[in-house]
Amino acid sequence: MIPSIKAPGGNTRGLLAYLYGPGRHDEHLDPHIVASFSPLGLRDPGRDQSATLTQLARILDEPVNLCNSGFGKKVTDHVWHCPVRAAPGDRYLSDAEWGEIARRIVNAAGIAPDRDPHGCRWIAVRHATDHIHILATTVREDGRRPKLHNSGKLAQAEARKIEKELGLHQVQPGDRTGDRRPTQAEMHKADRLGWQQTGRDWLRDRIRDAIPHSADVEELLAYLQADGVEVKIRRFPSGDLQGYAVGRPGDLNAKGEQIYIPGGKLAPDLSLPKLQARLAAGTPEEHPTAQRNRPTTSWQRTTDALDSLHQHLTNETAVGGNDGDGALAQAQITALGDIINATSQQAPAELRAELRAATRTFARAQRSQLRADHQAAADLRRAARDIIHASDGPDGNALTVMIAALVWAAILTGRWHQTRGHAQQAHAAQQAVQHLQTAYDQAAADQLAALTHRQPKPEITNILAGDVRSAVPDHAQRILADPNWPALATVLADAQALGHEPRQLLQEAVARRELTTARLPAKVLLGRIQHTSRNPERNLAAEAARRRSPAAIVLGVRVTPTDQTVPPTAAVGTPPHRTR
């Protein structure tokens, strides 16, 4: 349930005309009063044919007109308007319930405190099943103005109590770091112009998409202009940036002029100072095409960078949010959002819808009232730019493993925010997890099928199952019952062929990613082990056995560790190939 207090107005009769009218899209049905300041009730223009809107407005405005009849300053901003809307999916609320909700809201907001005979005059009008409008005139019966400081915050707090008592959807309390919501006019314009998004939402997406591409704000603004965004820049006489505003092409006002919105009016983290602090932490990449010469892919390097984020968030969450000021973790979470965004831009087309949805929902988890030490998260920011500038397209296996790492990072983000009391951010992170998990399932489907198809022989699988029981005794039964166990057995066999010890790999994976909350633990371990076992490991026992082999003695070949080549797909128990 959301009370949304509007800016003060000065025309009581005009607002009544809207509340009792058909609505802009004929959505107002049976408008009528469900509660008011008068214990005896008022004549309702919605139910009484002899009552008029002008009469009702005169009654509500009487204290205002009396106040204005004197010699003091005239009151012109006396109309207080607060729609209160139930959440989608909430049960039907009766007129009596809505009336009680209205009384509690005007009491909490300071409009008409309980047992105060001199409170402001007000009414609550219902013209739809899911919301009411509270209209009040803000001059009390004793001629004084009400104290409305923090009225919005107080009304929200009362709404949280009402939700709990009436069994309604419980909205997470905010901290004033959320996006500015599109207005009704902006939503109607989008419908009229056939836009999928309002201009405000479209601009937010474009700016956030540009961040991973940009080393500083100047680059970001240039990128936006190249991307078709209208950009208005203000500079100091020195030439330094003073401010910026952006507009969606075709978003015009009544005079046919381009509408511009300052970045800070789109979202708190998109103001010029916030962007400057965020982007200043990055190091410009002078030779992005040189990425192809690195021994690992962008996706593998990003997974490596995410490991440090996993460890830090795990440690901070373990101490209940009492370790430090949270500046490093907040910066890492902000950079994590950039990585998710960069991945959504570079991933194969079939994965982009879910990754884009994850980007949008995680944007709320990226910011809180905590100061972010962006310089400390420079490695993660470079990882996001690394993905954007990758010249070698996404490697299927490495991309799948990285998305698995993103899932775990988003889970840890939600837990970290929860320990800090950031309810909305924690909820946003949980929503992003769902989208990332769906993207991972899509990305991993073919790979899991291929791994399952070439699972090891039963005797080898049984040995690996013993390793699971030994390394992860508390979760062994769930792992072996997971339908993805054959695929995990294949990955463990491949890793053993590369010289890794399966039991050690399992223990390391569990140390990095707890399994208690994992729905499919074998699938979780699979991605983690694929990442840690991608490089060959020296197997001293195998090397010693090969040096003692009769074939090596007969051929007169001395096999050294550098001579040994083991194919990554070799099955456990298969003698490694020799090179001569």
Side-chain angles (χ1 to χ4, degrees), residues 22-95:
R24 294 185 176 90
H25 297 277
D26 299 321
E27 71 274 23
H28 294 181
L29 303 173
D30 185 26
H32 59 281
I33 295 174
V34 295
S36 74
F37 73 96
S38 173
L40 301 177
L42 298 171
R43 294 178 62 193
D44 185 354
R47 296 290 173 86
D48 185 343
Q49 293 184 0
S50 63
T52 68
L53 298 181
T54 300
Q55 292 171 343
L56 181 57
R58 188 178 298 121
I59 292 171
L60 293 168
D61 280 341
E62 189 172 333
V64 180
N65 294 333
L66 186 62
C67 178
N68 285 342
S69 64
F71 296 101
K73 184 179 179 181
K74 304 297 183 184
V75 176
T76 59
D77 59 346
H78 62 280
V79 180
W80 188 86
H81 177 205
C82 177
V84 185
R85 186 177 298 273
D90 275 345
R91 66 177 177 82
Y92 177 86
L93 297 172
S94 66
D95 281 358

Side-chain angles (χ1 to χ4, degrees), residues 501-519:
E501 173 57 46
R503 189 177 308 175
Q504 182 180 352
L505 288 173
L506 288 163
Q507 290 172 337
E508 290 175 355
V510 173
R512 288 190 173 274
R513 198 330 188 167
E514 57 86 12
L515 299 179
T516 303
T517 59
R519 183 173 54 89

Side-chain angles (χ1 to χ4, degrees), residues 336-353:
L336 172 60
D338 295 342
I339 291 174
I340 297 173
N341 192 325
T343 304
S344 73
Q345 296 183 51
Q346 296 296 94
E350 63 271 16
L351 304 181
R352 287 181 188 170

Side-chain angles (χ1 to χ4, degrees), residues 142-155:
D142 56 11
R144 295 184 292 121
R145 301 298 298 272
K147 295 179 181 179
L148 299 179
H149 178 66
N150 273 341
S151 62
K153 190 173 182 180
L154 294 170

Side-chain angles (χ1 to χ4, degrees), residues 313-335:
L313 291 183
T314 299
N315 293 342
E316 279 217 0
T317 303
V319 297
N322 297 318
D323 185 21
D325 58 3
L328 171 56
Q330 182 59 68
Q332 289 177 323
I333 290 169
T334 301

